[in-house]
Amino acid sequence: TTCYAPTAKGGRIDHKYSSGDSVAWLLEAQSGAAIEIVFSYFETYFNETFIDASDWVVVYECDSPSCETRTTLASGSGAYNKFAVTSCTGIMLLTFLSSGQGSGVGFRAKYYELPVCPYSLGSSTSLRAPADSKTLADANRVA
């Protein structure tokens, strides 16, 4: 696994991949800030018959940069509409794992710091979509 640690003030991840790829990105906001990633394009290989043979993106919220303690915020395989994920701890681990059974186009995402977490009503994490799209959990797969 190749790990990247871009500065979380803001940036872009544009990941086009080959079958068998495995990559992780650790995104850290400055102390006290939240971090949000917005996927504008998302298409990975999805096998409806054998889910384990699919290619997966998983987004975790971590308590520390080591990510020893982490919570899954979102995961997806296939094609989805635009969606966003927010970590109120300010530490996010984005992983991509290709099963090696096929490949898709990949994904594009922008990430940035939020000065405060917009989801502070009893929950430290939230999955939401921009106003013009659906959440990953509710998204309809694109055919």
Side-chain angles (χ1 to χ4, degrees):
T1 300
T2 305
C3 293
Y4 300 91
T7 304
K9 275 275 189 194
R12 188 169 104 179
I13 298 172
D14 210 351
H15 187 63
K16 296 177 181 160
Y17 72 98
S18 301
S19 183
D21 277 359
S22 174
V23 185
W25 295 265
L26 180 65
L27 306 175
E28 277 187 79
Q30 294 188 9
S31 181
I35 188 165
E36 181 167 81
I37 188 164
V38 179
F39 291 85
S40 59
Y41 183 83
F42 189 98
E43 185 181 335
T44 64
Y45 173 73
F46 180 71
N47 185 322
E48 288 186 35
T49 307
F50 301 104
I51 299 295
D52 290 342
S54 298
D55 298 344
W56 290 92
V57 172
V58 182
V59 182
Y60 300 98
E61 177 176 71
C62 303
D63 289 343
S64 68
S66 69
C67 285
E68 290 177 18
T69 303
R70 57 182 146 191
T71 303
T72 302
L73 297 178
S75 63
S77 179
Y80 290 94
N81 295 317
K82 184 176 180 180
F83 66 95
V85 183
T86 302
S87 167
C88 291
T89 67
I91 304 171
M92 182 182 285
L93 178 65
L94 172 68
T95 64
F96 172 77
L97 178 62
S98 171
S99 66
Q101 301 297 312
S103 65
V105 177
F107 58 89
R108 177 177 296 142
K110 289 185 178 182
Y111 57 91
Y112 51 92
E113 285 186 357
L114 301 174
V116 294
C117 185
Y119 310 104
S120 58
L121 301 175
S123 174
S124 64
T125 63
S126 181
L127 171 65
R128 72 162 184 86
D132 63 342
S133 63
K134 299 179 180 181
T135 63
L136 178 60
D138 296 332
N140 295 321
R141 273 201 165 65
V142 178

